[in-house]
Structure formats: C-alpha cells, structure tokens
Amino acid sequence: MTQPVSILLCALGGEGGGVLANWLIDVARLADCPAQATSIPGVAQRTGATTYYLEIYPIQRTELAGRMPVLGLNPLPGRLDALVSSELLETARQIANGLASNDRTCVISSSSRTLTTAEKMVMGDGRQDDGALMGVIAENSLRHHVLDMARICQETGTLVSAVMLGAIAASGLLPFARAHYESVLAGKSASAKASLRGFEMAFDHVSKQKEQAHYLEKIWSPSFSQSEPLSSEQDNNSNFNAQAQVPKQVLAEFPADMRKVLALAYNRVAQYQGQAYAQLLIERLRKIKQQETDGASNAASCPVTAESTRWLALWMAYDDIIQVAFLKSRAHRWQRVSEEVKLQEGELLKIYDHFKPGVPELAAMLPVSWAQALLKWDKQRIANGKSPWSMPIKLARHSVWGMLSLRFLSLLRVFRPYGHRYITEQALIEEWLSGIGRAFSVSPLLALEVARCGQLIKGYGSTNERGKENLLHILHTVCVPNSAKSVAEQISAVAQIRKAALQDEAGQQLDQALMLHGAPARPIKAQPILWMKNPRLKSNP
Amino acid sequence: MEVSFHEEIEALRAGDGEIFQGEGILAITKGLLQSGVAYVGGYQGAPVSHLLDVMVQAKPYMDELGVHVEACANEASAAAMLGASIHYPIRGAVTWKSIVGTNVAADALSNLSSPGVTGGVLIVVGEDYGEGASVIQERTHAYALKSGMCLLDPRPELGQMVNMVEHGFRLSEASNMPVMMELRIRTCHVKGQFVCKDNVAPRLSKKNLLQEPASFNYMRLAHPPVTFAQEKRKVEHRLPAARDYIVQHQLNEHFQGTTHADLGLVVQGGLYNTLIRALQQFDLSDAFGVSRLSILVLNVTYPLVPAELTNFCKGKTAVLLLEEGQPEYIEQELALMLRRLDLQTPVHGKDMLPSGGEYTAEVMADGLLKFLDKHRPSAIPESSRNWLQSNAQRRKQVQAMLGAPIPARPPSMCVGCPERPVFSALKLAQETVGPVHVSGDIGCHALATFEPFSVGHSILGYGMSLASRAGVSPLMKRRVLSVMGDGGFWHNGLLTGVQSALFNGDDAVLLIFKNGYTSATGTQDIINTPSEADKDASPDKRQSLAHTSKVIEATLEGLGVKWLRTVHTYEVAHMQATLTEAFTTDFQGLKVIVAEGECQLERQRRIKPWLAQLKASGQRALRVKYGVDEDVCNGDHACIRLSGCPTLTLKDNPDPLKVDPVATVIDGCVGCGLCGENAHAATLCPSFYRAEIVQNPKLTERLFGRLQQAITRFLQPA
C-alpha cells in the first residue's frame, strides 16, 4: 500500500512556516498529487515554537481514478518521512518528542540557533550545547542535511521559508521536479527573486552535502574552554591585539602553553594603564608561579598561574568611566557599528551612547577622603527614601562635542591610580592572590579552584560589587585554614559554590550551596524599604 | 487587521462546480454563504478568527448579497444576536473560540435554546483543545447537552465540512434547536479543496427587509410559565425531530469492515482521519480509508440516535468508542442505551484510552493495541507493537543524550511591542515598593507570565483582572495591581471590573494597555482604534496613534474615576514613577493608569511601505537600530532579564580573555527605544547605543555631517 509522504515543518512564529506549507501544497497541486496541510498556530503567537504538518500522496490524481486518500492531521512518531526545521533546538525538540526515527526520517535542519529566553537570561552562559543537539539528529535520522539557513537567508536577502523549500526540493523526498518548486516561487517582485536565490543556494547546499560534512567537522573538533589554548579565530581579532608587546625575556620565563594568554593579558593591562602597570601584572604572576613551582624555573606547565593570568588581567583592567570612554571613542568601534547597521554609501550615521553614571562611578575617580564623603552623602539620600543620585546621559558620539567629552574622560587615565577605586581594587586583588597562596599550602588543586574564582569579578556597578562580595565571602568562609574538611571536600566545595554564585542575581543558589558545604550564607544587607500607606489599617487598628 | 484576505474574498465568490482551495475555516465561511445566511456575528479568537475577519473585510460583497456582518463586543452579544431567528425565518451564524467564548455566551444560549428557533441557527465554535490551545481544557459538548443544542463534529474533509454546514441550518429548522459545530484547531487550519455551489442571497436580508414585526407570542419568550412547557418540548418534540433528520439524511456515516466486520469502532467525526492513519499502522486500513474493522462516524455527536448506535453494536464481538476529552458523555449514554436493551456487546472507551488530552494518532494506536490485544490479538502485526515500543524507548534515549530537558519556547511579545516596557517598569517599581500581587488578564500582556518577567498571580478570564482582585485587595496589606488590555476592557472589564470597583469604593489599581486593537487575536479593530483619517493625517508614520482616541479616558471619567493617569509606555522611568505613586498614594479608591502605545504590528504595517517609499523617492528617511558594544558589555545579561526582546540576544564573546557570551542586537530591531530607556531607568551597563541612519540626507545635513566626521576622525584613537 502506498502511504502518504508525511512532513513536519518546525518554525518560529513569524518566520513564514505557513507560507512554506502553502508553497508545498501548490507544488503538489501542480504535480496533480493529493495533498493536505494543517497547523497549530494561534493567530498571533509570535516567536514561539510552532509546527505545520503536511501529507502528500505521491500518486497523481489521474492514476487514482477518483479515489481520494484519507490524509492525517497529526504526525505519527517514528513514522515521519521528513522533519524540516529552521532552528537547531526546535529540531531536537521534535526528535525528543519521538517524531524522527533512524529507520525512516530524513531530517533537514538549520544549524543556526535562535536562543530561547531561558538560555539568554542566565547570568553566565546558559546556551545549549550545539554538539549534543547535532548528536541527537545524527542518531535519530535515516539521513540528514544540516545547513546554516540563517546565513543563507542573510546572503540572499530572503526569508527562511524559501531556503527550507530549496532544501526539501534537493533532498528528493517528494516525487516533484525542481521546476515545480521554482514555479511556485516565480514572480517579478524583488522578494520573489530573493526567494529564488535562497531556494537555489539551499538546493545546491543539500545537493552537494558539503555543508553537512563541514559542519560535522566543526562540531566534533574540540571546543574552546577555559584551560585550553585560545582559538586562532579569536587570536586574529585585531580589536584585542593592542600594540604594546610583552618583552620576549618575560615570555620566556613562563611555560610555553600559557604564553598566548599572557601576551593578551599583558597587552590588555598595558593599554589600560601603561607599561608600569603591566609590569605589576608580571610581578604578581611571577609570585604565583614561584609558589606553584616552588622556585623551579623551567616547569613544563603551571596551570594555576595560567588560570590566574586571565582573571588577574581582567580584574586589573576593571571597567570604569575612563575605560568605557576610551572604548566608545575608538575608530574601530565606529567601523564596527557601521557594519552592524549595514551603512550604505551616501547614508549618514549618528550614534548616541546611553550612560548613567552614579555616585560610585564618580567617586571611583576621586581621592579616598573625597570619595568617602560623596558616598556617605549618597547613602544618606537613600536612607531618606530618595533614589540614589545618578545622571542619565545620551551622548552623541558622532558630534564634535561628544567626541571631545569622550576624549577628555579617557585622558583622565593619568589620574586613575590616585583614585579611590584603584586603591580599593588593588587591595582586593592582593587579598585574592594571597588566598591563592594560602591554598597552595593545602593543595595545588585548591589553589586552582581559588584562582578560578577570579571569574566572579566582572562588569560594572552592582554586578561588580556583588562579584567582589561573593569572592571575599568564599575566601573568608570556605577556604579557611585548618578546615575540618578533607582536601578533596574543600576543592569540590569551592568549585560548586563558585558555579552557584554565577546562577542568579539574588544569590539564592549561592546561599544554598554555601550552607550545603557548611559555610554561613552571605550576611543580610540593610536595604531601605518604601512603606505603602494603608489608611484602612489606621481607622481599624 | 493583521491579515489581508484579498484572495480569500475572491474565493468566496466561487460558483457552482468551481474548486475552492484553502483553509478549513474559510470553507466553512463559504458554506454559510451557500446556505443563504442572512446575518453573521461573533468574536475573534483562535482558531476561528478568520471566519469573521474575512467577512468583515468582504463587506462590499456581503452588501451585494444583503448579508449583515457584525463584529460583536463579546460572545454574549454574538449569541444574543441569534435571537433574530426565534421569530423570523432567517438564517444566522455566529462564531467564537470555545470553551471560553461559549462560557461568556452561555446565558444568551440558554435563553435562545429554550424558546427554540424558527430560522436556522449555526454556532461555529473553535474547539481550542490539545496541542496549540491557549485556554483551559474543557468540552463544549456539555453546553449542547444542558441547553439542548445539536452538536456537529464533521469529518475533517472540506467537502464534508461544507456539507454539514448546509445540513446544520436545515437540521436547526427541522428541530427548532440551535446547532453548534465544533471545529478542532487542526481542522480549522487544514488546507484542502472542495467543489463549490453557488452562493444563495438570503430571502429576507438587508436588501429585502422584514416588513412588519412578528405578532406577540408569549411562547417565544424565555419567561415563566412557558419555560416549563419549553423544557418538555425539547424532550418530546425537538430531540425526536432532530434524530429523524439525522437518520433521514444519513448525517452519521457507517463504513462496513472488510475482514473484521464484527469489531466496531465508534468515532467522533473530527477524529476520523487520525483514526484511519492509526489503523493504517496496523495494516487495518488502506490509504483510502477502506477499513477491516467496521466504523461508525458520528458527524453529529448530540443528539445521538439510539437505534443507530444499538444496531451498530448488535452482533459485534466488541466495540471501541473514541471520544476525545472528559467527561465521556457519549460513552456514558452508549452504555446506558445498551444496558436498557440488555445488549451484552462489550464497549470500551476510556478504559483503553486516556481520559484527558488530545487523541493523536499515537494515542489512538495505543488504544487500538489494547482493544485488539483483548479481542483479536491475531490482527496485530509484530511491527506495530515494535513501533509503539520503540517510540517510548527513543524518547528516553534522546532525553538521556541531552541530559537536561529542552528549554521551552513559548510565544513572546513582538519586537517593539509597547507592552514590554510596562513590565520592565513594573519589575523596577517592585524593587522599591516590594513584591506586588498582580492579577493578570487575557491578551498579549499575558505573555508577561513567561520568562523573563514571570508576572501575574491569576487569570480568571477575559477582562476579569480587576474583578478578580476584589477578594484579594481588601485583605492584603499592599495594594494589588490589575492589568488589562483595551480589548479586555471593552469585552468585559468595564462593567465587571471598573463599575464594580467604583460602586464598592474599592481601593484598587488598574493598568489598561491602550494599544488600539485586540492584538492577540490578530489586531482586530475596536472602538478606540485610531481612525483611518488619523492614520492618513500623521506626517511621521512611525508615531504611535493610540492617543488619538480618548474613548477609554472619557468613559472612565464619565463613570467617576478620579485618579487617572495616561503614560506613554516607552517612558519607562515615568511609568515606574507612576506605578510607584499608585501603590503608595494617600488616595483611596480606584486608580487607573492608561498605558498608551499603539500595537507595533499595526505600526509596522504603516512604517514599512512609508520608509520604502521615502527611500525610493529620494526623500530623507531615518532608520533606527539599537546595539550593544561587545567590548563594553559585561556578559551579565541583566538587560535581557529586563526586556526579553527577541532581537536582544547573545553571541560568543569576541574577547579571547572573557568567557561569558555578550549581548547583541540582531537584525529585526525596529528601534523602539526600550533598550535605551531601560539602560537609563535601571542603570544597566553603558554598552547600549542608539544608531540613527539617515537615508538621503539633505545637502546641508550631509555637509555638516562630513565636517563633524572629519573632526571626530582626527580626534578618535585607533
């Protein structure tokens, strides 16, 4: 018995999944085959995941002699002929629903991701691992074509529906000729031409199956992680290769496998506050290395030193008004924005930057006593029920005045070392470094975990404050000397608490992790509360 | 309106013998016209919005036929409209989303069903059940039973669906009962074809008016004492008349089985195709629906015809009833019929199939397996058993490979949605006033219940947010916030919420989203939709026009609302301050914040052609996009937790020293301004910028721009 060919299309709301279903129905009609499509979208469910289901009977009506096949409205798990999807996670979702099987289903999927809100809102990196999703496709398909549909859309200026149609056509899934497909796309409008271009490119990609092989190669190659060497792609990014170069003899002091990260770190710090500051970085690293190697000069690898290098450089080059003003004023940045907005010849670009410096940002640049007075004043304001003082600014980067302001601010760099924040940060850095030193006396693995805690320090304002408080709390309560715990327990405690600290803003998971490992939760901070008046309660006490 | 039905309107004109190709719900619409319907009403909602939308857009053709089309204020007003058919021999049809719409309409439906109808009445309900549904999972079936309305559930094949529309009107006239037709989501959206008949212009219509009102007839009122007689008529006359019609016209279909004719399947018409596909997986049916088991297809699920069912069961080895949803009304009635006749045919249903949830092909196959295992194990091919087992195994394997469950991807507010900034402001306001109980409502703003906002404690129905706070706010120390869309306000909220709160002198806070349309159902117009004249008159098409109508404000003032603030939604800091004020002011009584900002979908419909035209004709045009500086972004993603905009997403950190992905704004950003507003209101990191791209700049602007660029280029570091 000839069964209908069943196709499940997965798309995100607004991507044109309905258009694609209509095109396929039209193609079937041209070829005179019975076809039926249905879908589950609401009228306005945009950007959510949605599916379209088609059944096409691969025998022409003329041969059916008036008999009409009964076509289904629901996909049959494991008996699906094709799963076509514009997004990698959605492909995996339908496979997890059991729809595709390795004895029947042809999976055509984009390799591109549209991240879900749940993945995006995580404080660190909450993105799904593409490799695992690809693995799911490979395991659960008779054959599969994976191509970067988002890129094809961009290159050809069309929507993903045309690209998906091209891939379906090339897959040979349906008994229709290429001309059938192309004729439903044909038209004189610019968008019809773009659709055809997208169709063609996808058709070629699938025909050659090159993309698939290429993608698999990329997926199965080892991915970049913290302890591994930096990838060449990132290395070549001119934006991060400042001119200052680390002296060769300094490089030679450190193991070969960390020289790349050392060079980057050196350049970052040198750009930030000059050669002398970069020397301070090297001094600090030398100290860690000495602790790690116990004086031996030619150790093959120093994992703790290497790990510390990255975080130490980032911490030393902490973000402040001066640094932000510098980054915003760079020529490179103007160029990047021009590309991002696809600036055309003859168009004029205006860039407005949103700043909102508050008292802490200003105090950072002042001498300690002034800064403390200013911070005290702001604290008093908050205690009186007012909001913290701050100044929203929309600065026109393209204007002469805007550029002069940014340049003036970045020139304040020379005063930075006399500022309140610089002094505070150096003290905290030293505290962290001595924490690493103390940990060495317990175990080099514990030292490595403490070094990794440098990851907690990032960003501006409250994010940065929170990171520092968490780091200090870990240093003071978890890595205490003479701990009753075994070394292995201490190591895993630090690792788990560090991960928990990166989970949520309120620090609930961090507190839980702390208590789980026998450490006290973070102290509760005083916070002003705005009372809601409720006269009903007065009249009825 | 979001969708333009130009082609579909043409298809509605198709005449005898022409082939109609298109969506199920539009085939139903064509069926109404072929039946000589005189008036049509309803309230929009998936999956039946298109029925009314296409009719509203096809006004010139409807005028030509003399058909009256009314976009009703809510389902109750739509159902009440059917009162026209009580006295007059005119056919009427209404449509809405069920179960919710039927709930709203229930009072009018009861009062319609009791006196009964003279002209045929068809109520097309979208049974929003199973995958893709957006409402509570209940059966419309219950309403047919309790009020005495026929319920059609046609086989999802366009020709049969249209056929049942035509029969529906006749059945209604033959029995004096209103007739409901339930269409599942996938049936409404099914794309197929059927052979048309000519449309019939109604005999009495807008072109051929009723000359005189009907004479007074107390029997036609739903008022005692005749209501007692009417109840008797339902049972003694109407139901038998309906059954006679069903039998006479063979509305239910009986397909005799080939090899296992002694095994019977009874199925709701709407599930027929899925059942055939399930049977095919056991080699028990061919591609054309020729089944080895006998099948009785119930295209009419109420009233059932006892003789038809008992005859089908008589002599069968066993019968399986496939009835979707719960309670299993049909199964109970069938069991009772057989018991009364003392027929011992085993009847299976919910003992082999799940009580709740959609009957997909796999669910049915599982049930069939159990049925055959018990009564004809020899008919089960080994491959079918393996297939069902392997599905379960595969799901487990994939789950194990992925480790964690795949993150959900619920729908979210559109790019540039004017409602998003309000929830940003609410999140910020709660940082100072503390957590607030938020009673939610139906509409786009209900999407704020998803991440990143996760806002809303309850949803009690469309326009019910203010009413559903009445028991909470008097007992709660802090004030309670009710959010409502303008759609919900007009649908229900004005009376059940505002009027009630004012009358009782309640201390309440209501926030109304005034975006100008019922956007969640497809941006249908409402009474405060900006007029075409205002749209034409606005020089900058980017501008929100929600402020051009003051109907909501005038209504509230007229009712006596004393504390009323109108705030543009994009002013996040202003909205935050206004919310804080509403939560903390000494003012006792109803406080209303009108959050004004036109639906972005409707704005884009104006903006896109306008910008293209400006660009093409060489006039100055401004394009706006927001962005994030990748080297300034701190990788903390606080901006995303405060916005959730689909175009604000992540990319790998280009800085080789940093590991966390950075935020980025991708193509598709409409430059709504929320990123900038949030950066200021919430003190986000200074990585956001607003880029304005001037196309076809004027000469002076170009020269000045060049001068500026020359100087800044000189000043900027590498």
Side-chain angles (χ1 to χ4, degrees), chain A residues 82-83 91 95 100 105-109 137 140-141 143-146:
Chain A
L83 173 64
T91 317
I95 294 176
T105 314
C106 165
V107 176
I108 299 173
S109 173
I137 294 179
N140 293 283
S141 56
R143 58 197 172 100
H144 54 273
H145 305 285
V146 178

Side-chain angles (χ1 to χ4, degrees), chain B residues 550-591:
Chain B
K550 300 279 181 218
V551 188
I552 293 179
E553 288 89 337
T555 305
L556 291 169
E557 278 164 5
L559 275 178
V561 173
K562 297 280 180 270
W563 196 103
L564 180 63
R565 307 274 187 278
T566 299
V567 184
H568 190 61
T569 61
Y570 278 102
E571 296 164 9
V572 174
H574 186 190
M575 182 61 77
Q576 181 190 351
T578 311
L579 281 166
T580 307
E581 190 198 342
F583 292 140
T584 55
T585 175
D586 282 338
F587 180 87
Q588 291 287 297
L590 180 61
K591 291 158 280 289

Side-chain angles (χ1 to χ4, degrees), chain B residues 535-548:
Chain B
K535 287 179 187 172
D536 293 340
S538 94
D540 183 350
K541 303 294 179 206
R542 265 186 295 262
Q543 203 195 359
S544 158
L545 295 177
H547 64 279
T548 55

Side-chain angles (χ1 to χ4, degrees), chain A residues 1-3 12 22 29 36-41 43-44 46-49 55 57 61 64 67-74 76-79 87 90 92-93 96-98 100-101 114-118 120-125 127-128 133 135 139-140 230 234 240 268 310 314 327-331 333 336-337 340-342 346-356 393 397-399 403 407 458-460 463 466 505 530 532-536, chain B residues 2 21 49 131 156 186 189-191 193 273-274 277 280-281 285-288 360-362 383 387 391 394-395 398 401-402 406-412 414 432 451-452 473-474 476-479 519-522 583 586 588 601 623 626 629-632 634-637 640-641 645-646 648-650 652-661 667 676 680 683 685-695 697 701 708-709 712 715-718:
Chain A
M1 181 191 74
T2 307
Q3 292 250 5
L12 309 185
N22 282 346
R29 197 173 289 146
Q36 178 180 289
T38 190
S39 59
I40 52 158
V43 178
R46 294 162 187 98
T47 68
E55 291 198 355
Y57 201 66
R61 281 172 203 274
L64 292 173
R67 280 161 55 100
M68 279 300 294
V70 176
L71 300 175
L73 295 102
N74 291 92
L76 282 148
R79 294 264 164 105
E87 207 269 353
E90 292 313 311
R93 187 191 309 283
N97 286 344
S101 72
T114 300
L115 299 173
T116 61
T117 307
K120 292 195 288 188
M121 62 190 278
V122 173
M123 284 166 72
D125 190 352
R127 295 175 297 176
Q128 289 269 323
L133 301 178
E139 286 282 309
N140 293 283
L230 301 158
Q234 287 177 317
F240 297 103
R268 179 69 48 90
R310 176 198 300 270
L314 288 174
L327 292 171
K328 293 264 184 188
S329 64
R330 291 180 72 182
R333 188 251 177 163
R336 190 181 64 228
V337 175
E340 244 176 57
V341 301
K342 302 194 175 75
E347 291 178 342
L348 216 61
L349 175 64
K350 299 178 179 180
I351 301 177
Y352 297 91
D353 282 307
H354 289 277
F355 297 111
K356 195 187 181 189
I393 302 168
R397 154 71 171 79
H398 56 278
S399 72
M403 178 52 81
R407 290 305 291 150
K458 62 177 178 179
Y460 312 79
T463 310
R466 191 174 60 229
E505 273 172 309
L530 200 61
M532 286 212 210
K533 299 179 185 91
N534 196 336
R536 279 173 299 152
Chain B
E2 192 187 357
Q21 286 171 331
S49 287
E131 190 185 4
R186 287 175 187 268
H189 296 308
V190 75
K191 298 240 165 64
Q193 58 181 44
N273 288 33
T274 311
R277 293 289 278 135
Q280 286 172 2
Q281 309 314 310
S285 168
D286 72 4
F288 307 97
T360 62
E362 193 184 21
S383 60
W387 163 59
N391 285 343
R394 200 167 51 249
R395 289 185 182 114
V398 175
M401 273 183 90
L402 289 171
I406 292 181
R409 195 190 300 273
S412 68
C414 304
T432 49
E451 286 167 334
S473 65
M476 186 167 278
K477 202 165 179 187
R478 283 188 207 150
R479 285 198 174 118
S519 298
T521 53
F583 292 140
D586 282 338
Q588 291 287 297
L601 283 173
R623 185 158 63 84
Y626 276 75
D629 280 311
E630 57 192 28
D631 45 8
V632 182
N634 66 23
D636 176 61
H637 316 146
I640 288 169
R641 291 191 291 278
C645 174
L648 180 59
T649 180
L650 304 180
D652 286 335
N653 202 322
D655 182 343
L657 285 177
K658 297 181 182 170
V659 289
D660 291 328
D667 289 352
H680 279 172
T683 321
C685 79
S687 56
F688 280 96
Y689 63 82
R690 174 189 172 92
E692 293 183 355
I693 302 101
V694 187
Q695 296 168 324
E701 194 180 16
Q708 275 194 330
Q709 245 185 48
T712 52
L715 289 169
Q716 71 193 7

Side-chain angles (χ1 to χ4, degrees), chain A residues 256-312:
Chain A
D257 64 356
M258 63 167 284
R259 283 177 198 159
K260 225 172 207 173
V261 74
L262 180 64
L264 282 165
Y266 185 92
N267 288 354
R268 179 69 48 90
V269 175
Q271 176 275 310
Y272 187 78
Q273 195 61 41
Q275 297 288 341
Y277 197 46
Q279 272 308 313
L280 179 59
L281 168 83
I282 299 297
E283 282 308 317
R284 284 170 168 164
L285 289 175
R286 277 188 187 130
K287 217 163 157 189
I288 302 174
K289 183 171 161 274
Q290 191 163 19
Q291 288 164 330
E292 189 167 22
T293 58
D294 225 1
S297 60
N298 49 358
S301 108
C302 303
V304 180
T305 315
E307 188 63 39
S308 307
T309 307
R310 176 198 300 270
W311 308 122
L312 180 58

Side-chain angles (χ1 to χ4, degrees), chain B residues 91-216:
Chain B
R91 289 184 170 178
V94 294
T95 187
W96 55 67
K97 175 192 193 83
S98 201
I99 191 74
V100 285
T102 316
N103 288 340
V104 174
D107 195 25
L109 290 178
S110 293
N111 286 287
L112 174 74
S113 300
S114 193
V117 295
T118 308
V121 157
L122 189 72
I123 303 158
V124 180
V125 297
E127 189 81 345
D128 203 35
Y129 189 84
E131 190 185 4
S134 55
V135 300
I136 45 274
Q137 302 291 280
E138 289 184 7
R139 298 184 69 182
T140 310
H141 202 107
Y143 283 94
L145 296 178
K146 78 165 183 69
S147 295
M149 296 181 281
C150 298
L151 184 62
L152 311 181
D153 188 352
R155 200 151 50 73
E157 186 268 319
L158 260 47
Q160 174 67 351
M161 283 154 65
V162 172
N163 190 24
M164 289 304 287
V165 169
E166 294 171 346
H167 275 300
F169 282 110
R170 281 184 238 133
L171 172 63
S172 174
E173 282 155 8
S175 66
N176 303 123
M177 293 163 83
V179 172
M180 296 182 111
M181 177 181 275
E182 77 170 303
L183 299 170
R184 291 172 180 78
I185 301 170
R186 287 175 187 268
T187 305
C188 284
H189 296 308
V190 75
K191 298 240 165 64
Q193 58 181 44
F194 74 97
V195 183
C196 299
K197 289 184 200 152
D198 284 332
N199 291 338
V200 176
R203 203 165 46 79
L204 291 165
S205 70
K206 266 162 79 174
K207 291 173 92 175
N208 187 19
L209 300 172
L210 290 160
Q211 295 301 315
E212 294 291 336
S215 54
F216 179 76

